[in-house]
Amino acid sequence: MTRAVVVGSGPNGLAAALTLAKAGVDVEVLEAADTPGGGTRSSELTLPGLVHDECSGFHPLAVDTPFSREFDLAAYGLTWRWPEIQYAHPLDDGRGAAALRSVEDTAALLGPDRRAWSLVFGPLTERFGSITADFLRPMVRVPSHPFALARFGVFAALPASVLVRAWSTPEARALYGGVAAHALRPLTTLMSSAIGVALATAAHAYGWPVAEGGSAAISRAMIRGLETLGGKVVTGVRVESLAQLDEADVVMLDVAPRAAVQIAGDAMPHAVRRALTRYRHGPGVFKIDFAIDGEVPWRHEPSRRAGTVHVIGDYDELAHAEREVARGHLPARPFVLVGQQYLADPTRATGSHRPLYAYAHVPAGFTGDATAQIEAQIERFAPGFRDRILARHVRTTQQLQQYNPNYVAGDVVTGANSARQLVFRPRPAFNPYAVGIPAVYLCSAATPPGAGAHGMCGYNAAQTALARL
Ligand SMILES: Cc1cc2nc3c(=O)[nH]c(=O)nc-3n(C[C@H](O)[C@H](O)[C@H](O)COP(=O)(O)OP(=O)(O)OC[C@H]3O[C@@H](n4cnc5c(N)ncnc54)[C@H](O)[C@@H]3O)c2cc1C
């Protein structure tokens, strides 16, 4: 029987493991941490009974994919829960904007920008199923839906600072800017629209759901599925070298590219080793999980009903903050993402005590403390917030990397979302999962289609391995 070892139990490692196991391969997943799941772990970080998502919180791109269609994780206990409002962006004077499931309902709240929001996101939402079929795999392949993909590509190729001119009101500009900031790139760079356009469209097509009971439910369901197929996960084993895996016929590496070089570099062709060593990481995040009493008192009422709240002033303030972070400075007013998962999933809270998720974009490897800036940003739009804090759990960029080595210098998306790395990650190659060693593949978020707890990198990499087998 063919034997595979998967190094790392993040969603991509587990998706690769499931895909191989379903094809009859004997699969073992080796995980360095004591708890499996990588970026999908959740735990009681602050007070007993409050479940915090340690990394991934919202899963618009995991709901309907080739992987989710092949592996019904609901059968193994995964339940998606949707907030009433997918994401919101409060502004200083109590105004703001909110994204709902329906394009039309969202547009209707944007006054003079109603038509422009519908024109950009209406057709994309209608064809999003065809578009994701192409962008959830390597971009070097011939698209199966070229016309739908071309429409997406026209917007995705633009700098966010150009696409934002489609809207004139501060509300619509901020609503789009907040979602574009997920790229963790200066908004003037080429293709800085790509991730924002995908996530904004996904909010309309699929919503931004959370996993009931915490994101750990995603990896729990994957592990249950794997076990029913005969595979297993072993925790507390850090793989340092391919020599540890000499009995494996196939090796899948759910690790960052430079870690792959440390593990397997001696056997890699020089060009591959050099390309993976040169892979670039992006800025970091500084994360605080709060326990709060009651709710966040947002002045902008729809933000009280939103799963995700993008916390910064208008588009210009956001653009300035993202530019500063890329230059290596922490802005006085950074971009802060607040997650209110308990609105969609009350099982994570106890009584009036709730787990609140917040992180700021900070420079790569930032060594300072961004707690004051994060709390000041939230307090600015939700006066009285500080009085509701019961406890905090803080992770700096270095602590994030200690928690998960794939988050190099706090880069939680495992690689800079530059135009080059959006198209060719981790290196220009027809098979981006191959590392130049027979039967050894990279399958982490450093490969296409990139970051997110959707498992598609692992699924695609395993298909490649199976094709060779
Ligand atoms: C704060 C934060 C917020 C996020 N928000 C979202 C979100 O809302 N939605 C979303 O979809 N995504 C989000 N993400 C990103 C998402 O978590 C990642 O993109 C995703 O987890 C990547 O999956 P992966 O399988 O590639 O790697 P990971 O999930 O990073 O897992 C890699 C695993 O490999 C293990 N490992 C590494 N090296 C070794 C080794 N040598 N030996 C053994 N084991 C090893 C690690 O311990 C880890 O468990 C967020 C991440 C963070 C940190």
Side-chain angles (χ1 to χ4, degrees):
M1 192 177 190
T2 306
R3 186 161 180 259
V5 173
V6 179
V7 179
S9 68
N12 287 313
L14 293 174
L18 274 162
T19 308
L20 293 170
K22 191 176 173 194
V25 176
D26 176 23
V27 183
E28 182 173 59
V29 181
L30 301 179
E31 167 56 54
D34 293 333
T35 315
T40 55
R41 285 171 277 178
S42 329
S43 54
E44 296 179 357
L45 293 175
T46 55
L47 301 181
L50 299 193
V51 180
H52 297 270
D53 289 334
E54 302 203 47
C55 307
S56 169
F58 301 89
H59 304 96
L61 295 176
V63 177
D64 187 21
T65 66
F67 172 73
S68 73
R69 274 174 243 136
E70 191 165 334
F71 296 92
D72 176 19
L73 296 183
Y76 298 105
L78 174 63
T79 305
W80 296 121
R81 295 268 172 237
W82 282 264
E84 180 187 347
I85 290 175
Q86 306 311 304
Y87 61 95
H89 193 123
L91 293 171
D92 273 318
D93 46 14
R95 288 181 304 143
L100 311 176
R101 284 298 297 275
S102 146
V103 177
E104 283 317 314
D105 293 347
T106 306
L109 298 171
L110 294 175
D113 281 321
R114 174 183 194 146
R115 193 172 140 71
W117 192 271
S118 298
L119 276 176
V120 173
F121 293 112
L124 291 179
T125 302
E126 274 168 34
R127 298 184 188 96
F128 203 50
S130 315
I131 295 168
T132 54
D134 285 317
F135 85 61
L136 289 177
R137 56 185 201 155
M139 296 232 189
V140 290
R141 306 279 159 83
V142 179
S144 42
H145 302 91
F147 294 111
L149 190 66
R151 187 177 186 102
F152 172 75
V154 165
F155 295 124
L158 294 173
S161 58
V162 172
L163 184 55
V164 78
R165 292 187 206 148
W167 299 286
S168 60
T169 59
E171 286 86 352
R173 288 165 61 85
L175 191 66
Y176 173 66
V179 78
H182 285 242
L184 275 148
R185 292 285 297 156
L187 301 178
T188 45
T189 52
L190 203 62
M191 288 187 80
S192 52
S193 272
I195 286 173
V197 170
L199 291 177
T201 309
H204 297 308
Y206 306 130
W208 284 16
V210 307
E212 186 177 277
S215 295
I218 302 171
S219 35
R220 247 191 331 263
M222 290 170 113
I223 292 169
R224 278 188 201 136
L226 178 64
E227 286 168 352
T228 57
L229 292 167
K232 66 174 177 186
V233 178
V234 182
T235 54
V237 182
R238 179 174 299 278
V239 174
E240 314 272 2
S241 154
L242 273 190
Q244 279 169 263
L245 316 174
D246 56 1
E247 281 170 23
D249 302 302
V250 177
V251 174
M252 311 297 296
L253 298 170
D254 184 13
V255 305
R258 266 175 245 153
V261 172
Q262 278 158 13
I263 293 171
D266 291 349
M268 280 177 194
H270 175 69
V272 176
R273 194 169 63 225
R274 195 177 56 175
L276 295 185
T277 306
R278 288 183 176 175
Y279 183 76
R280 288 184 47 229
H281 284 276
V285 313
F286 185 101
K287 185 162 186 277
I288 310 182
D289 285 284
F290 296 98
I292 57 165
D293 190 19
E295 309 225 330
V296 184
W298 302 109
R299 254 200 227 110
H300 173 239
E301 191 280 330
S303 293
R304 299 182 185 187
R305 292 179 281 135
T308 301
V309 186
H310 296 142
V311 186
I312 192 156
D314 61 12
Y315 176 82
D316 293 338
E317 186 181 320
L318 167 68
H320 170 76
E322 294 300 276
R323 198 166 49 239
E324 284 296 287
V325 165
R327 285 182 181 156
H329 309 301
L330 177 69
R333 292 177 154 184
F335 173 80
V336 177
L337 185 147
V338 171
Q340 308 183 125
Q341 288 91 326
Y342 60 84
L343 290 174
D345 175 20
T347 68
R348 300 163 181 230
T350 56
S352 65
H353 295 175
R354 281 147 191 162
L356 190 79
Y357 163 110
Y359 63 78
H361 290 178
V362 300
F366 175 69
T367 50
D369 185 352
T371 305
Q373 286 85 344
I374 290 176
E375 290 182 10
Q377 281 290 61
I378 303 176
E379 181 77 24
R380 171 179 164 199
F381 299 98
F385 164 69
R386 282 202 191 94
D387 300 335
R388 304 196 179 195
I389 300 173
L390 302 170
R392 299 174 181 80
H393 175 276
V394 172
R395 270 202 185 115
T396 63
T397 56
Q398 294 97 330
Q399 287 166 335
L400 275 163
Q401 181 167 349
Q402 278 157 16
Y403 174 72
N404 181 345
N406 289 24
Y407 302 152
V408 177
D411 167 18
V412 300
V413 292
T414 320
N417 285 314
S418 60
R420 179 188 160 97
Q421 290 192 173
L422 281 172
V423 180
F424 301 116
R425 64 196 289 138
R427 65 191 176 96
F430 182 70
N431 182 351
Y433 308 99
V435 296
I437 311 170
V440 179
Y441 301 89
L442 191 62
C443 70
S444 69
T447 62
H454 41 62
M456 282 302 298
C457 313
Y459 177 77
N460 293 338
Q463 300 288 353
T464 300
L466 288 172
R468 187 173 181 280
L469 282 174

